[in-house]
Amino acid sequence: MDFNQPTEDNLFDRARIIGKPHARIDGILKVTGRAPYAYERHDVVANQKVGYPLCATIANGRVTHMDASAARGAPGVVSVVTTLEIEPLGRAKSNDARLFGGDVIEHYHQAIAVVVADTLEQARSATALIKVSYEEAPGVFDLEAAWERLQGTGEPLADVGDVDAAFAAAPVTVDEIYRTASQSHAMMEPHASIVDWSDGQQMTVWTSNQMIAWTHKALATTFNIEPDTIRLESPYVGGGFGGKLWLRADAVLAALGSRACGHPVKLALPRPMVFNNTTHRSGTIQRLRIAANAQGKITAFDHSAVSHTLPGGSGENPVNQTRTFYAAESRRVSHQAIDMNLPESADMRAPGEASGLAALEIAMDEMAEKLGMDPVEFRILNDTQVDPEDASKPFSERHFVECLRQGADAFGWEARNRTPGAMREGQWLIGHGMAGAYRGALTLNSGARVRLQGGRLIVETDMTDIGTGSYTIIAQTAAETMGLELADVEVRLGNSDYPVSSGSGGQFGAASATAGVYAACLALQALIAKRLNLDTPRFENRRVVADATDLALADILDGEELVAEDTMHFGDFQDSMQMGTFAAHFVEVAVHAHTGETRVRRMLAACDAGRILNPITARSQVLGGMTMGVGAALMEGLTADLERGFFVNHDLASYEVAVHADIPQQEIIFLDTADAASTPLKAKGVGELGICGVPAAVANAIYNATGVRLREYPMTLDRMIDQLPEVS
Amino acid sequence: MNPPSSVQRRDDTLRSGAESSSVSFVVNGARHDVELDNRTTLLDALRERLKLTGTKKGCDHGQCGACTVSVNGERINACLTLAVMHDGDDILTIEGRAAADQLDPMQQAFIDHDAFQCGYCTPGQICSASAVLEEMQAGFPSHVTNDLTAPIEITDAEIRERMSGNLCRCGAYSNILKAITQVAKERA
Amino acid sequence: MRAFSYERVSDPAQAAARAAEVPGAKFIAGGTNLLDLMKHEIEIPQHLIDVTGTGLNDITPTSGGGLRVGAMVRNSGLAADPRIRRDYGVLSRALVSGASGQLRNKATTGGNLLQRTRCPYFYDTAMPCNKRAPGAGCAALGDGATSRQLGIIGTSDRCIATHPSDMAVALRVLDADIETVMPSGKTRRLTLDEFYRLPGDTPEVENALEPGEMITAVVLPAPVEGRHAYYKVRDRASYAFALVSVALIKTPDGSGRVALGGVAPKPWRREEADAALPKGATALMERLLNGARPTQENAFKLTLAERTLAALLAQE
């Protein structure tokens, strides 16, 4: 099915099920511990062995020698595969570093061997017996030094109007440097796979992955085998946040181990290896200049940035939102991804925008203050309804101003502290801050298959549910379209035997995958119409109704299974407009006047993200983004050893993510602004919008509380303690 | 469910030199006698030997709480304890909480409040949540308890602090708080 | 984790004797730190002696008006004991600021004292560490190293690790003693200050215990009247190790005692600094942290320690 123009009024505008709050249909499996995650599939194949990885302990160079004899002779060990024994594996487009094979080390904790044994205890201890010699090469690890070196170089991604003239003429300007930290996805389930490649022919992979089709393809490329010999399942994913978009070493090592020992092999990356072995969000250094006239109209943006990457990667581009978020006649943005020998940087929740808005929205706050304007009003004044770089491209829907107004009202913005450092409760300084948020609303082609079996409908798609609520919103979509009830629908996800969907990433999943399910349901309707010879039948109350026909779906063709499949293709017309999601975040913090400890006391987000398919699961997505945003603001940061070239805090004790005690009352408002240009359901994503802007809102609140303007994340107390008021 | 452990803790000194041991414990009411590599954690004994995979391994180093189970009525991290040290113990995992299709109140409250997303930390959260209510009832102080000598007042801050050993990267914390509060109110 | 044999003992003296007798033996109680370290092969015992059944589970009054806390008393049980909550508030508060509810249910009094540092370079066995492998060097002192969490005083040019315990900081300010039993069956008593060793040239030696010697109890002197407070400063609100922690007992006459956590290889207290408490946080910290050798990254701990104490003093 093609989606070639904005949708007309349709059944989703009169929905019974879509847009209504439904508890997750997979909830019961999750609260009883019965949802099967990758490493736990004892039932799928017999005689599973356990693999354990050995990872390199240099950042750059070669493995010169490996002696695995002791490991091979250790109790319970059935196979050892070292990187020196095999040629470099193929490198899928989505992998910057090779995952295994050959002697080249491109980053710390790159996998260099897998030991397979009967038990984890045996595999783990045997792994430690492998002796490795390296030839270490110097590496580049210091982003700060790269930033200094690159001043004045690089081609802009956009250069519109006359930026230099605008700054020369502007009565008010901001020009500051901002720094965001490298971050780890730190999903609760580590990367894990069971692979059965015991015959070296057919490969079955039970894994934890967001993108089945990409990873299926990556496996074929990596091992240079035919795609049709590979089957992949990932029905439950214990969190991803971008960290499980790609094929990673867990599946590769399990596959190699399986082939070597002739048994299925399961392997989970040990948590202390996840941080350097897999991907992370690169830190950034950003210079932001804003020019405005005396009335508060922005006349120019100049945003330049660096991030790090392995050769071939794209780093973390934090400047893109600056091209589209606010009106201004002139703008210049540039980003340079610097080749460095740190682990592989790649996408993490709202790649780009999460980091870019963390800087831009502080700069906006600084500008509002210089102008003497309310930061909410300042943003309203600079709203745009068209692409600021191309006025012929309107936003399909943009209700940012309503987000700002409704959010401000609900938060009580009027009653905020207006003088930095002036509001105090005991030893705590109280502050309020806000930020705008913008994240693109991408759609990707997405397919599904539906099976009508009696009165039940089974939906099959390789879409994944990584906590996002895919199971539930897909069931809602199918039930709505087919005139069924939610309980009539069974949803099967995350299997490469199913039609290729958008997958989960880039906040495109919910909108794209439900559109694909809708397309498949329409194909089923057409099939039913054809088989029953009906003209424009209606599907309602579990029945098909047309002229003289009024038949229960359960009774069609005596319950014969009817199968239909289709893919929603999104047409070029979407390129003629800007499609985005918008939010306004409001935060209250308390900063301890003595210690500089910051605790968030309340948060509110007002979101404009298309039709909300399920307010329960959508709300949870935004809550999750806000929570991760608090982490980004206050505590999360991978710290590189600049000599040795690795992230030192590579466990969950030293890489701190927010805990219960960090997260206060959180309130979310959805404008529920249907976007007819996005999908037939008029839906857009919301899972990444929730993190966008939150770090800056916290930063602005810290400034409001203390009068200390921080421009480097995470905003830990050591960055401000010398600037806090005298106490002794 | 069976009455608690019929297994007696062994008093005898085990022979040294052997790298495996036999251990008996009761899990969710059922007695298990197993011979285990001494290195096996309680977590791996549950997940790999008994195939009770509801208890999760998030970090295996006591840094996330996904492996929280109840042992003799107290919550602990199953990843940082050896199975062989639990001879005679009575263990409750997430699989032992729901009777047939009847969820326990905390499980139901988690569904009612969408107190999870990916679901991986959820069994540990539920186990901790139940224990937290009991610990407050028993008067255990916490980091945010104002008066160490007074009975514990059930507040949002108390619940949040006591739940802080269970990470949820999906960020369901505020919904988890609502779920726990609902159960606390039902009990009050 | 290397293979090991395992036994249970029911008597502390027997435990000590066995530990001296069996090569590579180590005690295990709560296991919350030891197993973590064994998985990393930072600790590689060949034999574990399970001492949880040694009957050291009670908190009993001493003739001196204090309390004897058995080494196997769990952190949660100790924090919740009504006598501790009433008379040793600083200890109760320190305990509940550490780790998580689950870990405190398992961790013991003796084991808490024997926790090893959380220095990330100690934890990554690929990194040189004089504590883990004497003479290997100290990665934390490298040019590109990160040291924000590490020590500022009492450290050496071989090791700048801190001791991670909160409980021990409170015990130090309480003037608690440690009772042990030797393999010979002889018992001895050490002050907490004697118990912990500074790294000097031998950072691998962390305490005064001799081979096989086992902690049997912590002895709390008679209660010190006054205000007991423990302020732990960390990046997130809970479940994190201290950047700086301050244990304070302020007696009704205005004098008192202060010990710090998160700054040194042992709970950090100087009795001569306590004398300056009536003059305020600045005066006290000048003496308590005199001689500090922070790194560029952790120099903030000097300011933070002073301001944290000032915060406590201002809370009266």
Side-chain angles (χ1 to χ4, degrees):
Chain A
M1 179 176 180
D2 294 324
F3 188 67
N4 277 331
Q5 59 184 29
T7 192
E8 304 286 316
D9 184 53
N10 65 28
L11 77 159
F12 299 109
D13 297 309
R14 302 172 297 280
R16 301 172 295 125
I17 299 172
I18 278 289
K20 305 290 189 288
H22 291 284
R24 281 170 207 269
I25 61 173
D26 49 331
I28 193 147
L29 291 179
K30 287 178 174 174
V31 301
T32 55
R34 287 186 285 133
Y37 298 85
Y39 195 80
E40 304 167 351
R41 310 289 299 273
H42 290 291
D43 55 320
V44 292
V45 58
N47 202 15
Q48 297 171 19
K49 304 292 181 188
V50 180
Y52 199 85
L54 178 69
C55 292
T57 56
I58 62 167
N60 192 28
R62 290 176 54 240
V63 179
T64 53
H65 183 70
M66 293 180 79
D67 177 2
S69 53
R72 288 182 211 278
V77 171
V78 293
S79 283
V80 178
V81 182
T82 73
T83 195
L84 296 183
E85 291 163 20
I86 64 171
E87 290 297 305
L89 295 175
R91 195 167 58 80
K93 221 169 58 180
S94 49
N95 293 107
D96 296 334
R98 282 187 200 280
L99 292 171
F100 200 76
D103 63 349
V104 176
I105 299 300
E106 295 174 279
H107 63 90
Y108 195 82
H109 276 179
Q110 177 178 321
I112 54 171
V114 57
V115 174
V116 182
D118 292 329
T119 68
L120 170 71
E121 292 77 25
Q122 292 166 337
R124 182 175 54 199
S125 62
T127 304
L129 302 174
I130 299 175
K131 295 189 178 70
V132 188
S133 309
Y134 300 99
E135 184 180 283
E136 205 168 345
V140 178
F141 311 117
D142 189 350
L143 190 64
E144 201 69 41
W147 168 253
E148 295 297 328
R149 195 171 65 240
L150 291 165
Q151 285 309 302
T153 70
E155 285 301 304
L157 296 165
D159 193 350
V160 178
D162 189 337
V163 170
D164 296 331
F167 276 93
V172 189
T173 59
V174 165
D175 182 359
E176 298 291 348
I177 311 277
Y178 305 85
R179 292 171 174 82
T180 63
S182 289
Q183 296 168 350
S184 178
H185 310 83
M187 69 297 277
M188 296 311 300
E189 179 203 26
H191 303 69
S193 297
I194 304 173
V195 179
D196 185 3
W197 201 19
S198 39
D199 64 2
Q201 304 289 318
Q202 296 293 316
M203 179 190 288
T204 309
V205 182
W206 295 270
T207 189
S208 181
N209 192 278
Q210 301 173 226
M211 301 294 296
I212 301 304
W214 292 4
T215 301
H216 189 258
K217 193 173 168 195
L219 279 163
T221 308
T222 301
F223 291 109
N224 192 24
I225 55 178
E226 290 302 316
D228 62 8
T229 63
I230 306 167
R231 201 174 69 76
L232 201 71
E233 276 189 30
S234 181
Y236 289 91
V237 180
F241 316 112
K244 292 175 181 167
L245 290 166
W246 335 108
L247 174 66
R248 299 300 316 173
D250 55 308
V252 171
L253 296 180
L256 291 170
S258 175
R259 187 174 62 179
C261 76
H263 296 290
V265 170
K266 60 178 181 179
L267 185 143
L269 290 183
R271 180 61 70 175
M273 294 176 197
V274 168
F275 297 80
N276 285 288
N277 176 272
T278 71
T279 61
H280 65 280
R281 187 204 299 280
S282 168
T284 67
I285 303 173
Q286 306 177 43
R287 181 180 178 193
L288 249 159
R289 300 167 68 213
I290 306 178
N293 68 23
Q295 291 72 46
K297 277 285 212 187
I298 297 171
T299 55
F301 285 101
D302 185 4
H303 192 176
S304 55
V306 294
S307 64
H308 68 252
T309 179
L310 286 170
S314 49
E316 170 83 353
N317 175 353
V319 301
N320 266 341
Q321 75 287 322
T322 307
R323 302 177 63 175
T324 33
F325 197 9
Y326 294 110
E329 278 185 12
S330 301
R331 72 193 64 220
R332 182 163 58 212
V333 304
S334 68
H335 167 245
Q336 297 188 70
I338 314 299
D339 285 354
M340 289 176 48
N341 303 92
L342 287 166
E344 181 169 337
S345 73
D347 292 350
M348 177 169 153
R349 198 174 204 162
E353 280 90 338
S355 303
L357 288 160
L360 175 63
E361 291 298 303
I362 299 179
M364 290 291 285
D365 200 62
E366 299 195 59
M367 180 55 103
E369 187 185 36
K370 282 193 173 181
L371 290 161
M373 289 180 73
D374 173 352
V376 170
E377 294 304 325
F378 173 57
R379 285 168 174 83
I380 290 171
L381 181 67
N382 288 288
D383 187 51
T384 177
Q385 291 295 315
V386 297
D387 182 343
E389 290 180 12
D390 179 358
S392 72
K393 276 172 88 170
F395 281 92
S396 58
E397 295 282 340
R398 173 168 165 138
H399 305 277
F400 180 46
V401 170
E402 289 88 328
C403 290
L404 290 162
R405 292 203 192 285
Q406 288 195 29
D409 275 356
F411 185 77
W413 184 245
E414 269 306 301
R416 72 188 181 280
N417 174 41
R418 286 163 191 268
T419 309
M423 189 180 273
R424 202 169 167 130
E425 287 179 22
Q427 294 186 333
W428 295 86
L429 299 163
I430 309 302
H432 303 94
M434 59 80 53
Y438 163 75
R439 173 74 178 144
L442 186 63
T443 49
L444 294 186
N445 295 345
S446 194
R449 179 159 57 225
V450 290
R451 300 172 180 275
L452 186 64
Q453 293 181 346
R456 289 186 58 70
L457 188 78
I458 295 165
V459 183
E460 296 174 341
T461 163
D462 86 350
M463 180 60 186
T464 49
D465 189 328
I466 62 172
T468 37
S470 307
Y471 278 107
T472 309
I473 57 172
I474 283 172
Q476 288 175 267
T477 304
E480 188 79 61
T481 310
M482 295 306 298
L484 292 166
E485 296 304 316
L486 204 54
D488 300 328
V489 181
E490 177 186 337
V491 179
R492 298 174 182 168
L493 299 181
N495 189 319
S496 63
D497 283 347
Y498 302 155
V500 173
S501 72
S502 62
S504 300
Q507 88 167 10
F508 49 66
S512 305
T514 52
V517 170
Y518 172 67
C521 287
L522 291 191
L524 177 64
Q525 291 186 357
L527 177 66
I528 292 168
K530 188 176 158 200
R531 293 287 301 272
L532 300 184
N533 258 322
L534 303 176
D535 194 25
T536 59
R538 301 194 310 279
F539 292 83
E540 54 195 33
N541 303 319
R542 296 174 163 149
R543 304 180 75 80
V544 53
V545 182
D547 301 328
T549 304
D550 185 353
L551 189 62
L553 290 182
D555 298 333
I556 293 176
L557 300 168
D558 298 327
E560 175 190 331
E561 184 186 58
L562 292 171
V563 184
E565 180 177 330
D566 200 5
T567 294
M568 182 64 77
H569 297 276
F570 294 93
D572 296 347
F573 82 98
Q574 290 184 335
D575 298 341
S576 68
M577 54 186 83
Q578 280 288 351
M579 290 169 48
T581 60
F582 303 87
H585 288 283
F586 296 83
V587 167
E588 177 179 297
V589 301
V591 181
H592 198 283
H594 289 64
T595 65
E597 296 160 280
T598 299
R599 303 291 177 241
V600 179
R601 302 218 302 186
R602 59 193 181 100
M603 311 176 76
L604 180 141
C607 303
D608 164 27
R611 169 167 288 134
I612 298 303
L613 301 172
N614 182 337
I616 291 179
T617 54
R619 180 174 176 277
S620 286
Q621 280 287 289
V622 178
L623 286 180
M626 291 161 77
T627 300
M628 205 176 273
V630 171
L634 297 180
M635 64 197 80
E636 286 186 43
L638 289 164
T639 308
D641 185 309
L642 299 179
E643 194 179 29
R644 297 174 187 276
F646 74 110
F647 294 121
V648 177
N649 49 340
H650 55 77
D651 63 26
L652 285 175
S654 54
Y655 183 84
E656 293 184 18
V657 302
V659 297
H660 274 271
D662 291 300
I663 300 306
Q665 179 195 334
Q666 294 170 313
E667 197 179 331
I668 292 158
I669 297 166
F670 287 120
L671 301 188
D672 209 6
T673 42
D675 189 337
S678 180
T679 80
L681 286 82
K682 307 184 182 177
K684 295 188 280 200
V686 74
E688 298 190 333
L689 182 64
I691 191 174
C692 291
V694 171
V698 174
N700 296 337
I702 291 173
Y703 172 73
N704 181 255
T706 62
V708 180
R709 179 65 78 179
L710 299 179
R711 300 184 184 89
E712 181 166 4
Y713 296 94
M715 299 190 168
T716 47
L717 59 92
D718 42 319
R719 298 198 202 282
M720 72 170 105
I721 195 160
D722 288 336
Q723 301 169 68
L724 290 173
E726 286 291 321
V727 291
S728 284
Chain B
M1 199 188 286
N2 295 330
S5 172
S6 56
V7 184
Q8 292 300 310
R9 190 182 168 89
R10 260 167 279 207
D11 294 321
D12 57 314
T13 300
L14 298 187
R15 76 203 142 96
S16 60
E19 291 172 353
S20 64
S21 305
S22 48
V23 56
S24 302
F25 38 59
V26 171
V27 183
N28 304 328
R31 177 179 167 148
H32 296 269
D33 302 289
V34 281
E35 176 82 11
L36 289 169
D37 186 322
N38 289 340
R39 293 172 289 186
T40 313
T41 60
L42 178 60
L43 177 61
D44 286 323
L46 292 169
R47 284 170 61 84
E48 304 303 323
R49 182 60 75 90
L50 306 187
K51 305 203 178 349
L52 292 171
T53 54
T55 306
K56 303 306 180 192
K57 184 185 282 189
C59 73
D60 212 22
H61 288 276
Q63 301 167 352
C64 79
C67 65
T68 305
V69 297
S70 172
V71 175
N72 302 332
E74 291 183 340
R75 58 173 170 152
I76 65 165
N77 292 334
C79 75
L80 285 187
T81 188
L82 294 172
V84 66
M85 293 178 75
H86 291 281
D87 198 47
D89 283 351
D90 188 21
I91 297 154
L92 178 65
T93 72
I94 192 73
E95 290 92 344
R97 285 181 180 270
D101 276 342
Q102 186 61 46
L103 299 179
D104 88 358
M106 194 63 79
Q107 290 172 313
Q108 187 59 52
F110 268 59
I111 291 181
D112 293 347
H113 294 281
D114 206 40
F116 53 88
Q117 293 177 48
C118 82
Y120 200 76
C121 73
T122 311
Q125 299 278 357
I126 289 171
C127 180
S128 258
S130 298
V132 158
L133 294 182
E134 286 158 20
E135 289 166 12
M136 284 193 284
Q137 181 85 34
F140 277 48
S142 87
H143 173 59
V144 299
T145 304
N146 283 325
D147 183 348
L148 284 176
T149 56
I152 307 297
E153 199 185 330
I154 299 179
T155 62
D156 290 354
E158 282 283 2
I159 294 172
R160 286 180 180 129
E161 163 59 24
R162 291 162 190 269
M163 289 298 296
S164 287
N166 291 81
L167 305 186
C168 170
R169 187 57 160 163
C170 294
Y173 295 133
S174 54
N175 286 349
I176 293 171
L177 175 69
K178 286 181 186 168
I180 298 172
T181 304
Q182 173 180 306
V183 176
K185 282 187 179 147
E186 285 166 7
R187 286 193 189 175
Chain C
M1 191 188 296
R2 302 273 179 89
F4 56 86
S5 50
Y6 168 84
E7 72 177 308
R8 299 188 191 103
V9 296
S10 54
D11 174 71
Q14 182 200 1
R18 289 288 290 155
E21 173 182 309
V22 183
K26 230 176 156 61
F27 303 121
I28 186 164
T32 52
N33 190 209
L34 180 59
L35 286 172
D36 174 32
L37 295 168
M38 286 168 64
K39 288 178 186 184
H40 286 290
E41 296 201 359
I42 295 166
E43 297 278 5
I44 310 178
Q46 293 163 262
H47 182 71
L48 283 185
I49 301 168
D50 179 345
V51 293
T52 53
T54 47
L56 304 170
N57 304 312
D58 297 321
I59 304 172
T60 52
T62 65
S63 54
L67 292 171
R68 174 172 284 102
V69 181
M72 295 304 125
V73 171
R74 309 282 165 176
N75 287 177
S76 52
L78 182 57
D81 185 276
R83 295 161 291 183
I84 301 293
R85 285 153 65 186
R86 188 188 63 223
D87 298 333
Y88 302 92
V90 66
L91 177 56
S92 190
R93 293 219 178 270
L95 281 161
V96 295
S97 74
S100 68
Q102 294 96 307
L103 290 163
R104 295 194 295 268
N105 277 342
K106 208 80 189 82
T108 62
T109 307
N112 188 311
L113 291 170
L114 294 171
Q115 280 183 85
R116 305 203 65 192
T117 183
R118 293 283 166 170
C119 172
Y121 295 99
F122 171 76
Y123 258 84
D124 189 328
T125 51
M127 292 296 126
C129 171
N130 288 321
K131 191 183 274 299
R132 214 180 339 91
C138 172
L141 288 167
D143 283 344
T146 176
S147 55
R148 180 172 176 268
Q149 291 275 350
L150 301 178
I152 58 172
I153 195 162
T155 54
S156 75
D157 54 11
R158 302 248 174 141
C159 182
I160 58 170
T162 58
H163 195 268
S165 172
D166 292 296
M167 183 191 80
V169 181
L171 292 181
R172 181 71 181 89
V173 89
L174 286 165
D175 278 335
D177 286 346
I178 292 169
E179 287 183 348
T180 70
V181 60
M182 309 280 226
S184 62
K186 219 179 89 185
T187 60
R188 68 165 170 158
R189 187 160 161 167
L190 303 113
T191 67
L192 201 79
D193 197 39
E194 291 163 347
F195 177 77
Y196 286 114
R197 294 285 164 86
L198 291 178
D201 290 339
T202 54
E204 71 278 14
V205 180
E206 294 172 358
N207 57 55
L209 291 179
E210 292 179 10
E213 187 174 7
M214 176 181 157
I215 297 173
T216 53
V218 164
V219 181
L220 302 175
V224 184
E225 249 190 275
R227 179 173 161 236
H228 285 218
Y230 190 77
Y231 195 147
K232 180 175 182 178
V233 182
R234 43 194 163 179
D235 289 325
R236 66 183 177 195
S238 188
Y239 200 20
F241 293 95
L243 293 168
V244 162
S245 67
V246 179
L248 168 71
I249 299 179
K250 195 156 181 214
T251 41
D253 65 4
S255 67
R257 315 164 176 191
V258 172
L260 300 179
V263 298
K266 62 194 254 183
W268 195 252
R269 180 176 166 208
R270 284 173 176 161
E271 278 74 357
E272 69 269 23
D274 289 344
L277 184 62
K279 293 189 202 148
T282 307
L284 185 140
M285 288 300 167
E286 271 172 14
R287 299 186 195 191
L288 185 56
L289 293 174
N290 181 33
R293 294 197 310 170
T295 66
Q296 197 182 342
E297 270 189 23
N298 67 22
F300 75 92
K301 289 189 176 187
L302 290 167
T303 314
L304 180 58
E306 181 182 324
R307 293 180 70 102
T308 305
L309 177 60
L312 279 177
L313 296 176
Q315 282 169 11
E316 284 165 5

